[in-house]
Amino acid sequence: MCTMSAQRADKLKRVLEAVPAGFVVDARWLENHGVSRFLTRNYVESGWLERLEPGVFRRPSPQSVPLDWKSCVLSLQKIMGYHVHVGGTGRNRSDSD
């Protein structure tokens, strides 16, 4: 029989295996993987996750590498499974001339 702390440790292990250091997940992804809001708050307080914005979390990187757009896009596509793509700035070519 599993104890509550063993279940929490298992959930944390699954999150850490699924989310590489420096990558991002949202609250919905965490909840879909069995991590409650209460448990998410504990992970943030313990330093296992960083809260970037309401409902958006990052697994800290050992070198405190700043968040970049590539990590965000890869997180959205590969970890969370959202169908997104990067677009242009929306400026016409003549605007840059």
Side-chain angles (χ1 to χ4, degrees):
M1 180 148 201
C2 287
T3 64
M4 187 64 92
S5 62
Q7 290 174 344
R8 286 183 179 173
D10 186 49
K11 288 178 186 178
L12 177 59
K13 181 181 175 187
R14 286 194 312 249
V15 168
L16 296 179
E17 288 173 350
V19 183
F23 284 73
V24 178
V25 291
D26 60 12
R28 182 181 0 173
W29 185 91
L30 288 166
E31 288 178 9
N32 288 342
H33 287 81
V35 179
S36 67
R37 290 180 186 204
F38 173 78
L39 199 50
T40 299
R41 185 174 40 235
N42 286 345
Y43 292 169
V44 170
E45 290 172 359
S46 299
W48 293 108
L49 291 174
E50 298 173 334
R51 182 177 176 264
L52 300 176
E53 293 289 331
V56 181
F57 304 91
R58 176 174 118 152
R59 182 171 173 206
S61 60
Q63 298 83 17
S64 298
V65 176
L67 186 62
D68 65 354
W69 68 270
K70 295 173 195 170
S71 298
C72 291
V73 171
L74 287 172
S75 296
L76 288 165
Q77 292 174 334
K78 303 297 182 188
I79 297 172
M80 293 182 276
Y82 291 116
H83 299 286
V84 299
H85 66 278
V86 178
T89 63
R91 293 176 17 153
N92 292 330
R93 243 187 150 145
S94 62
D95 291 343
S96 62
D97 294 335

